[in-house]
Every structure is written in C-alpha cells, then in structure tokens.
Amino acid sequence: MPPVRKPLPVDHSILNEMLAIRLQQLEIENGGMEAFLPKTGLARGTYYTVLRGIGNPTLKTMERIASSLNMTVFELLGFEVSDAKRALKKSGVDYDELASAIAKKNRADRTLARQTRSKKLPG
C-alpha cells in the first residue's frame, strides 16, 4: 500500500490575515455576511477561503473586491490613501498622477476590448 500523503500546512501571511480581518469588520458594518457577500463580487466559496485567511487572492481579486465596495485596495486593507501617498512620495512618485494614468490606461484597454469584441461578432 503506498504511503498516504499528508496535507501540507496552510501558509498564512500577514497580507492574507489583514484582508480577512478587514473583511470581517466590513461584514459587521454592512449588516452581516448575507448582506455583505454580494457586495464583494466574490463567489461564496472564494469569500469563505479569503475570510479564513487561507486563500491566496491575487492583487486583481483584491482590486475587484475594493472596486465592488467603492474603495481602494489600501482602504480595503485598512490603510488611508494618505498612507499610500506618503509611501509613494518617498519614491518620488505622485499618487494622483499615477492614479490618473492608470485610470486612463484602463479606459483605453476597455475601449480596445470592446472594439475587438465588436469586430469578431458576425455582422
């Protein structure tokens, strides 16, 4: 009989725990899990995994959650935007210019995607 493979321990990280704690706080502030879950834009199973701090959400997933809740990823994690501005300033980057450039790029990407989809549709 082959040896039984033992499950690997779950890797926890500070970031995963911060996100889990923050989601729990937001859940309480928004009337409980049933009221809050649809606002996150996540599937129930994904939400539970992230909420337990054992998920490994991508940055894109965190951005989607934050966007669904009308906040930044920084706010989602419990930081103030001023914290991000201060950190970027230390590196010589202007937060507002960066945010504007990203928004412009995202709009251009969405426009291009729409144009590409419309060309593929049978006419």
Side-chain angles (χ1 to χ4, degrees):
M1 176 188 253
V4 176
R5 182 172 172 207
K6 294 182 181 179
L8 297 173
V10 176
D11 288 333
H12 290 270
S13 74
I14 294 291
L15 188 57
N16 287 353
E17 294 299 327
M18 286 175 68
L19 182 57
I21 290 166
R22 185 70 172 126
L23 286 175
Q24 290 168 15
Q25 291 171 337
L26 291 168
E27 190 178 284
I28 291 167
E29 292 171 12
N30 285 275
M33 194 271 299
E34 291 302 324
F36 181 65
L37 176 60
K39 295 178 184 179
T40 66
L42 296 177
R44 187 175 295 271
T46 303
Y47 179 76
Y48 286 142
T49 303
V50 172
L51 194 64
R52 290 193 311 264
I54 57 174
N56 191 15
T58 63
L59 184 53
K60 196 68 173 170
T61 298
M62 289 192 290
E63 288 174 334
R64 185 178 48 204
I65 296 168
S67 176
S68 296
L69 299 171
N70 295 317
M71 59 178 59
T72 66
V73 172
F74 302 111
E75 292 166 322
L76 176 63
L77 294 172
F79 294 105
E80 298 294 326
V81 172
S82 60
D83 296 328
K85 287 182 178 186
R86 193 171 37 258
L88 285 170
K89 188 175 182 180
K90 288 180 182 178
S91 300
V93 177
D94 182 89
Y95 176 92
D96 295 321
E97 287 178 15
L98 180 60
S100 176
I102 290 169
K104 184 184 282 187
K105 182 183 182 316
N106 287 342
R107 283 191 302 274
D109 289 347
R110 284 191 298 271
T111 300
L112 181 61
R114 276 194 304 275
Q115 290 170 348
T116 303
R117 280 192 308 268
S118 67
K119 288 179 183 177
K120 290 181 181 179
L121 293 176

